[in-house]
């Protein structure tokens, strides 16, 4: 220490903590905070505590922050008094929360059940004209039975599609391309008789793509979607694989892989858990029903899509820096201009590593 330095100021400077403006983690060195911001992908689209404004990576993390064993006391007390346990919002008074939770807790959809159905008794959707891109989405769920010598190969034998009004627009039994060796009756409720007049897989593929493409050309669908519809599902890529179909990734919305709906360790929650936690009702208590699951996926999507995320304000100089820091893979966090940014400016510079459904 030089002779002219104030020992108190030197000690205070050495004890300075650099606090993340999003998750409130603190670091001794500024470069550690910058490294944290680089890999955390904090953004205004992350679930946020309505009391302390802390951003969490998922709703499970937010729930632990508000109701967990190590919950912050002030936030926990306010949430217990005026918070909605389904959407995690906090209201100004108990009167509002009581009225809100009656609407937030939804009734369970009535399952279609298993039924004898010939290949001519499927439902097909007559799409309305002049649909704007993004104004409609389709939720899909499939029921699988087992194929192969040990019955572990998933074969799609039933598929259901619903629109945003929860109306069934396509529902049929599917004739699998190879023999079924395990009907998994306890879960599916499907017997050999259900598949006797089932629709061939290739015809099912054509019907589904007709609905999803909505009259749009394949080239436009692959490029920017055009009038094609978003396809929702829980493990939707697995359903498409079992149907031996492909649909562009930028038009898929998966409740099993959407970061805010995942566990803190980025493992998927079951659809049953998500329906109970976010919608307030039980599903899959007995045999699985594709209509019940499709409606639950649609409700989750619509609830998260309707969220309003208020963008943080950036001044002109920060916007300019953000532009200059852009690169092919995002922002160059090692750029020297970040050295002079405060935590709020670093948060504004950060961006999510997923597309928020509110942007649909």
């Amino acid at each position: 220490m030089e002779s002219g330095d104030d020992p108190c100021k030197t000690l205070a400077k050495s004890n300075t903590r650099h606090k993340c403006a999003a998750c409130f983690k603190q670091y001794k060195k500024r470069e550690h905070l910058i490294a944290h911001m680089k890999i955390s992908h904090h953004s205004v689209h992350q679930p946020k505590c309505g009391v302390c404004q802390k951003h969490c990576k998922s709703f499970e993390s937010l729930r632990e922050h508000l109701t967990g064993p190590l919950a912050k006391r002030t936030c926990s007390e306010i949430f217990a008094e005026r918070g909605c346990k389904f959407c995690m919002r906090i209201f100004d008074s108990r009167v509002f929360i009581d009225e809100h939770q009656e609407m937030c807790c939804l009734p369970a959809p009535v399952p279609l059940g298993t039924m004898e159905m010939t290949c001519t008794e499927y439902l097909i959707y007559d799409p309305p004209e002049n649909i704007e891109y993004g104004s409609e989405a389709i939720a899909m769920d499939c029921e699988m039975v087992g194929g192969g010598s040990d019955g572990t190969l998933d074969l799609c034998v039933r598929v259901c599609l619903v629109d945003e009004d929860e109306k069934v627009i396509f529902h049929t039994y599917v004739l699998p391309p190879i023999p079924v060796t395990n009907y998994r009756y306890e879960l599916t409720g499907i017997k050999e008789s259900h598949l006797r007049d089932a629709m061939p897989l290739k015809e099912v593929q054509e019907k589904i793509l007709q609905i999803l493409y909505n009259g749009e050309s394949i080239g436009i669908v692959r490029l920017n979607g055009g009038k094609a519809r978003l396809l929702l599902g829980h493990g939707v890529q697995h359903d498409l694989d079992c149907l031996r179909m492909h649909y562009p990734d930028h038009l898929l919305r998966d409740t099993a892989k959407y970061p805010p709906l995942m566990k803190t360790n980025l493992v998927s929650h079951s659809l049953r858990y998500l329906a109970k936690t976010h919608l307030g009702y039980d599903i899959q208590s007995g045999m699985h029903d594709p209509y019940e699951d499709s409606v639950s996926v649609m409700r989750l999507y619509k609830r998260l899509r309707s969220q309003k995320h208020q963008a943080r304000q950036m001044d002109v100089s920060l916007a300019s820096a953000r532009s200059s820091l852009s690169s092919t893979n995002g922002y160059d966090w090692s750029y020297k201009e970040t050295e002079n940014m405060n935590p709020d400016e670093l948060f504004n510079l950060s961006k999510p590593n997923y597309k928020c459904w509110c942007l649909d």
Side-chain angles (χ1 to χ4, degrees):
M1 183 174 64
E2 298 182 4
S3 58
D5 290 342
D6 187 336
C8 295
K9 289 184 179 180
T10 303
L11 180 61
K13 185 175 181 180
S14 64
N15 291 332
T16 299
R17 309 288 290 184
H18 301 276
K19 184 177 179 181
C20 174
C23 66
F24 302 159
K25 289 183 178 179
Q26 298 186 29
Y27 299 89
K28 290 183 178 180
K29 296 184 178 180
R30 182 177 186 77
E31 52 266 33
H32 293 168
L33 172 61
I34 294 175
H36 161 76
M37 296 301 295
K38 181 179 179 180
I39 65 174
S40 63
H41 298 285
H42 286 310
S43 80
V44 296
H45 297 286
Q46 290 179 326
K48 182 177 68 173
C49 174
V51 181
C52 68
Q53 308 303 308
K54 176 182 178 180
H55 287 73
C56 301
K57 289 188 176 181
S58 66
F59 282 101
E60 182 178 66
S61 297
L62 177 58
R63 203 174 297 275
E64 291 177 358
H65 170 75
L66 292 170
T67 64
L70 299 177
K72 186 176 179 180
R73 181 175 179 180
T74 303
C75 299
S76 178
E77 291 175 351
I78 294 177
F79 181 79
E81 181 182 354
R82 298 186 273 113
C84 174
K85 63 181 181 180
F86 302 114
C87 67
M88 311 302 289
R89 291 173 57 190
I90 295 177
F91 294 81
D92 294 334
S93 73
R94 187 68 204 177
V95 176
F96 293 141
I97 180 59
D98 290 340
E99 294 178 354
H100 167 80
Q101 283 201 144
E102 290 182 2
M103 298 183 294
C104 207
C105 181
L106 302 176
V110 179
L112 293 178
T114 53
M115 61 194 77
E116 302 296 334
M117 185 168 57
T118 67
C119 63
T120 60
E121 292 177 329
Y122 61 87
L123 299 171
I124 189 69
Y125 184 48
D126 184 17
E129 298 180 357
N130 301 323
I131 293 294
E132 295 182 0
Y133 171 65
S135 62
E136 274 208 353
I138 301 296
M140 180 178 74
D141 187 71
C142 299
E143 284 302 315
M144 311 295 180
V145 294
S149 59
D150 57 358
T152 58
L153 180 64
D154 285 340
L155 302 175
C156 176
V157 293
R158 190 181 179 193
V159 60
C160 180
L161 277 69
V162 301
D163 63 12
E164 293 196 14
D165 295 324
E166 302 178 10
K167 172 186 174 183
V168 178
I169 56 179
F170 183 72
H171 172 234
T172 187
Y173 289 103
V174 184
L175 183 64
I178 64 175
V180 177
T181 56
N182 182 0
Y183 283 92
R184 305 173 184 174
Y185 179 78
E186 295 78 8
L187 292 177
T188 66
I190 293 176
K191 300 178 290 187
E192 183 178 358
S193 60
H194 291 109
L195 305 183
R196 191 167 296 133
D197 296 315
M199 184 181 292
L201 177 61
K202 186 169 183 60
E203 190 174 347
V204 172
Q205 296 168 345
E206 293 173 352
K207 297 295 184 183
I208 294 176
L209 290 177
Q210 176 188 351
I211 296 170
L212 296 178
Y213 282 179
N214 192 25
E216 193 62 270
S217 67
I218 296 178
I220 296 297
V221 171
R222 291 175 177 172
L223 181 63
N224 59 16
K227 296 184 295 182
R229 293 178 169 85
L230 298 176
L231 178 60
L232 324 177
H234 190 78
V236 64
Q237 188 59 58
H238 178 254
D239 288 348
L240 288 172
D241 291 342
C242 292
L243 286 167
R244 301 189 177 184
M245 292 174 55
H246 173 75
Y247 202 58
D249 289 344
H250 63 277
L251 295 177
L252 299 179
R253 302 292 183 266
D254 196 338
T255 53
K257 295 184 178 180
Y258 188 54
L261 292 178
M262 298 177 75
K263 299 180 181 179
T264 53
N265 59 355
L266 297 181
V267 173
S268 301
H269 278 296
S270 67
L271 183 58
R272 181 179 182 180
Y273 172 86
L274 294 177
K276 180 66 175 179
T277 305
H278 295 271
L279 304 176
Y281 60 79
D282 292 306
I283 62 171
Q284 302 176 350
S285 54
M287 294 179 180
H288 294 194
D289 186 275
Y291 172 73
E292 186 180 48
D293 292 353
S294 297
V295 170
S296 298
V297 167
M298 179 61 74
R299 290 176 176 179
L300 285 168
Y301 170 76
K302 290 172 64 177
R303 178 159 292 183
L304 270 65
R305 184 183 65 180
S306 65
Q307 290 183 310
K308 304 297 183 183
H309 298 130
Q310 185 176 1
R312 293 169 68 89
Q313 297 297 320
M314 294 192 300
D315 57 28
V316 176
S317 60
L318 180 58
S320 176
R322 187 175 198 173
S323 176
S324 66
L325 292 174
S326 61
S327 63
T328 304
N329 297 321
Y331 303 122
D332 182 8
W333 286 90
S334 63
Y335 192 77
K336 63 180 181 180
E337 287 192 30
T338 59
E339 296 179 2
N340 298 320
M341 288 184 177
N342 60 42
D344 286 327
E345 291 173 332
L346 289 172
F347 182 34
N348 282 326
L349 189 65
S350 180
K351 66 177 184 178
N353 57 351
Y354 64 92
K355 179 181 177 182
C356 182
W357 290 347
C358 76
L359 301 175
D360 289 340

